Amino acid sequence: MTDLIEQIARARGIADEYVAADGNKKVISRESKIECLRALGYDVDDEASLQKQFNSQEDELFDRGVEPVIVAFENEGLSFVIRLTDDEARDPLTFEITKEDGTKCQGPVLTNLSEKGESRTMHGSKYTAYDAKVPIDLPFGYHEITFKTRKRTISGVRLIVCPKSCYKPQKIQEGTKVWGPSVQLYALRSSRNWGIGDFSDLSELIRYLADSGAGFVGINPIHAAYPSNPESASPYSPSSRRWLNVIYISVEDTQEYSENEEVRRKVCSIDFQKKLNQLRSSEYVDYAGVMKLKLEVLRELFNSSTIADGRSRRGKAFTKFCNDGGISLYQMATYDALQEYLYNQGKQAWGWPVWPAIYQKYTNASVKNWQEKHEADIRFYMFLQFVADEQLEKANNVAKERGMAVGIYRDLAVGVSNGSEEIWANGNIYCTKASVGAPPDPLGPLGQNWGLPPMDPQKLLDEKYQPMIDLFRANMRHCGSLRIDHAMSLYRLWWVPPAAPASNGVYVYYRVKDLVGILALESHRNKCLIIGEDLGTVPDEMRTILKEAGIHSYRIFFWEKAADGGYLAPRDYPEQAMSALSTHDMPTIVGWWNHEDLKLGLELGLYNEKQAHDIGEGRYYDQQRILDSLHGLGSVPDSVSRDGRNCPMTPELLKGLQIHMCRGSCALFSTQIEDWIRMEKPVNVPGTSSEYPNWRRKITKNLDEIFSDPDVAKLLQDMTEARNSVSGH
C-alpha cells in the first residue's frame, strides 16, 4: 500500500518535499499525501479498489495514445509522447494538422524506436511509450492534430502553439519607466457615485492620471460576486472569475437611464437623494445598501427598455454580447437569478451548498425547469453583465485615447469561493474537498487556508486547457495589463485537505510551461502586459520561468533587503518588474511607519504585548536602515531626521520614499492614493474576517478634491519627472 500511495502521488504531481521560506527542506508526510489523494477521489482505505482506480487511469492513458493536448513553442517543432503497440511502432506513422484558419498540412511523424519508455499490456497487446517529433513550424494559435497508423486513428488532440514570451507594449519595450496607482475601485469617492467607486469613477480617475503623467492604473479583482449576497465582499473570493461584479455599474451612465424620464425623476427625488448621500458619506462601503438601490433602479430600467428588440442598434449589441458569452454567461445569470429567487423564498442561499438539493448542480433537471419559468429574470442578469462590460470598455478607451503607456491593469484572483457559480456550473474541474493556501512562513507561522478549492491538474488536461484559456481571455478584456495574483499557482499550489491545519498541506504541481505558454499566447492576442505576483515561497526555477516568459516580477520595497539587513537601492531591482512600497495586504506607509498596524493588531488580538513590542523593535531597526538608504542616495532633504527611532512621518519623508522608488530600474512603479493623502487605516488585515471591516474602507477624499490638492499635484509631477529621468529614451 505504501508503494502504491507513493506511486499514485508522484503520478498526480504531489511533491515529496519543498524548500520552506526559512531555506530549510521540509518533507511532506505520507499522511498528508493520503489525505490529498482522498480529496482527489481515490479510495485510499481499500488497496484493491485503489489499485483498480489507478490501473483504470493508466489504461485510459495508453489506450488514448496521445494526451488530449500538446503545447508547443515557436521555432521548436512539436515534441510529445505517443503510446503504440509493437505492430503500430513498425507501421508508418503520419500526422494531419487542421490549423486554426481551417487549412491543413500533413506529413510523417519521427519516432525514436530505440528508446522505449513505460510499457503496459492491454487488450492482449503490449503498448510502449515513445518520444516523437513533428519538425514543422506553425503559426501561433489553437489547432487540431490527428495521427494515423495502418490500423488506428488518434484524433481529437488539440495542438497549441505559443510564443516564448508575453506581450510588452511598445513604450515599455523602448525602456520607458512608468508609474501608476493601484486602487481598490470600491474605495473611490466622488460626488456622483452611489456610495461605492464605479466604472464611471474609473474613467474619471484615468483622465486625472493621464493628465498627471501616469502610465497605468491598477484595480482590484472585479470578478463577479453575489448580487443577492453583497456583504460577501472580498474581491479575492469571487463567484466567477470570467464575469464582472455588477455593483461597479454606474447606473446614471447607462443608455437606458438617459432614455427613461420616469426613473430619472425617481433618482432625483428628495428621498432617493437622501439615501444616496447617506451611502456616499459613510466611512465604509455599505454593500447591501448600494446593491439594493442599484438593483432596484436597474431592474426598472431593464423592464421598461426595448433592449430585447433585436432590430434596434442597442438590441443587436445586447444579442451579440449574449451570443458571444454563450453557455458561460447563461450559467452566471442563472446562478444570480436563482440565488435571488431562493432568498426571496426565505431560504438560506449564500451559496449552492445550502440550496435545496434539486438546485445544487447546474445540470440538474430542476434547474432547467426553473430556467424555463424565469427566463426574464435570467435575461436581467445577462443585461447587467452587458452594461458592466460596456462601461469597463469605455474606461479602457479613455486610457487609450489619453495615450497611457499601459492603461488599466486588472487583477486575476487565485480562485473562487466554495459556494461560487464557477463550481456550481463547472465543478468537475475543481477539487472541492481541498482548499488552496500557503505553508508556514514568517507572515503566517501556522500556514494559511484561503478557502478556495483548487483546479484538478488532470481535469485541466482532459479539458484541453479550455478553462484556463477562457479565464485568461476573459481577464485580458478591456485592459492593457493583467496581474496574476499568487503567480505560483501556475507552477504549484499548496492544497490543504478538509479539517486539516494549513501546515499539513501538500504541494501539487501543474504543467507550468503549458500554462505560461497559453498565458503568453493570450497576452499577445489581447495586447496585454503580464505581471506575476511572486511573493512568498518561490523556487528559483519559477523565477527563471517567469523571467524567460517576459512576465514582470513584483518587488515590495520593505522586503527587498541585502544580506547585511540594509535595503536594496531601487536602481538595483530588475527591469522586468513592478515595484511598490506597499500592497492591499499591508499597512499604508504612514500606518507602517507610525506602527499603527501594531496597535491595530493588539486591538484585534493578532498580537500580544510582547509580540507587538518585539515586532516594533525590529521595525525601528528597519526604519534606521531605510533612512540610511534614503539619505545616502539623496532621496530626502536634510530636514528629514536620520534617527530611525525618532523620525516622524513628515510630508518630506513620505514624498521622498515615493521619489526614491520612481528613480529605480523597474519598468513599473505602483503607488497608492492612500499614501498621497496620508491615510493610516489599511484596506485589509490578513488573518481577520469579522474582526476588521476588510474590503470596505473608503478613501477619505473625493477624486476631484485629491487632484485639485496642490501638494498631490506636485507629488505626481515630481514622480513623472523622476520616472522620465531613468527612462531609456
Side-chain angles (χ1 to χ4, degrees), residues 87-88 90-93 148-153:
D87 287 343
E88 289 173 336
R90 289 188 288 268
D91 286 346
L93 180 63
K148 290 184 179 181
T149 67
R150 292 187 193 276
K151 296 181 179 179
R152 183 163 59 137
T153 297

Side-chain angles (χ1 to χ4, degrees), residues 328-589:
S328 176
L329 175 59
Y330 196 66
Q331 289 169 338
M332 181 77 252
T334 298
Y335 183 94
D336 286 346
L338 181 52
Q339 185 177 48
E340 180 187 33
Y341 168 81
L342 293 172
Y343 268 123
N344 289 340
Q345 295 291 310
K347 299 184 183 298
Q348 173 63 270
W350 61 262
W352 63 265
V354 296
W355 291 2
I358 59 172
Y359 297 133
Q360 286 186 0
K361 286 186 178 179
Y362 177 77
T363 52
N364 287 355
S366 295
V367 173
K368 182 174 178 57
N369 293 337
W370 188 91
Q371 288 172 321
E372 292 172 353
K373 297 175 183 177
H374 297 85
E375 190 66 29
D377 294 324
I378 295 171
R379 296 283 287 183
F380 169 63
Y381 281 101
M382 295 170 77
F383 165 73
L384 295 186
Q385 289 295 331
F386 169 66
V387 172
D389 181 83
E390 182 179 58
Q391 293 189 352
L392 177 60
E393 181 181 26
K394 182 178 179 181
N396 187 49
N397 286 339
V398 173
K400 290 179 178 178
E401 292 160 4
R402 296 296 176 109
M404 276 189 155
V406 176
I408 297 172
Y409 91 62
R410 293 179 62 178
D411 198 349
L412 176 60
V414 72
V416 292
S417 67
N418 192 47
S420 66
E421 178 274 337
E422 261 190 51
I423 293 177
W424 176 70
N426 301 285
N428 61 307
I429 64 172
Y430 286 91
C431 185
T432 58
K433 293 182 179 178
S435 175
V436 174
D441 61 27
L443 292 178
L446 301 178
Q448 299 177 55
N449 184 335
W450 302 329
L452 309 172
M455 287 184 174
D456 184 330
Q458 183 59 48
K459 297 291 178 60
L460 286 178
L461 198 64
D462 293 341
E463 294 287 335
K464 305 178 185 180
Y465 292 127
Q466 193 61 46
M468 296 304 297
I469 295 166
D470 292 339
L471 186 62
F472 292 151
R473 192 173 289 164
N475 283 274
M476 293 181 195
R477 189 172 171 87
H478 307 323
C479 65
S481 178
L482 179 65
R483 174 186 177 271
I484 311 293
D485 185 50
H486 192 62
M488 283 297 299
S489 63
L490 301 170
Y491 178 69
R492 68 184 186 186
L493 277 172
W494 184 254
W495 287 30
V496 182
S503 57
N504 286 5
V506 300
Y507 268 123
V508 177
Y509 283 84
Y510 293 73
R511 297 196 180 185
V512 61
K513 290 187 177 179
D514 288 3
L515 295 178
V516 169
I518 294 167
L519 180 64
L521 174 57
E522 288 300 322
S523 83
H524 278 275
R525 291 197 161 184
N526 292 280
K527 298 189 183 311
C528 195
L529 177 145
I530 305 298
I531 301 162
E533 189 264 293
D534 55 347
L535 307 176
T537 307
V538 183
D540 290 340
E541 58 265 32
M542 184 57 182
R543 293 202 187 279
T544 300
I545 289 169
L546 294 176
K547 182 178 180 180
E548 291 178 348
I551 297 174
H552 286 67
S553 180
Y554 203 38
R555 299 303 169 103
I556 308 301
F557 170 72
F558 294 113
W559 299 348
E560 293 295 314
K561 294 183 179 181
D564 65 358
Y567 283 80
L568 295 179
R571 66 189 180 197
D572 294 328
Y573 291 8
E575 184 277 334
Q576 190 176 286
M578 181 174 75
S579 63
L581 282 160
S582 58
T583 74
H584 58 263
D585 284 331
M586 296 172 63
T588 63
I589 297 175

Side-chain angles (χ1 to χ4, degrees), residues 49-122:
S49 176
L50 182 62
Q51 185 71 66
K52 185 177 180 181
Q53 277 183 282
F54 186 53
N55 285 343
S56 176
Q57 290 170 353
E58 290 294 290
D59 286 350
E60 182 182 357
L61 175 62
F62 275 78
D63 196 41
R64 182 186 280 159
V66 177
E67 289 185 329
V69 58
I70 298 169
V71 178
F73 291 85
E74 58 183 312
N75 304 321
E76 288 187 358
L78 318 181
S79 297
F80 53 95
V81 173
I82 190 165
R83 296 158 183 85
L84 304 169
T85 66
D86 290 344
D87 287 343
E88 289 173 336
R90 289 188 288 268
D91 286 346
L93 180 63
T94 61
F95 73 87
E96 181 178 86
I97 294 172
T98 302
K99 299 177 188 176
E100 197 170 22
D101 63 5
T103 60
K104 296 179 184 290
C105 62
Q106 55 191 14
V109 177
L110 306 181
T111 309
N112 186 356
L113 300 180
S114 63
E115 293 188 14
K116 298 182 178 182
E118 185 180 357
S119 295
R120 194 169 188 84
T121 300
M122 303 183 306

Side-chain angles (χ1 to χ4, degrees), residues 306-322:
T306 59
I307 198 166
D309 182 357
R311 296 169 298 180
S312 67
R313 180 180 296 179
R314 185 77 168 154
K316 288 178 181 177
F318 179 53
T319 299
K320 182 180 185 305
F321 178 80
C322 293

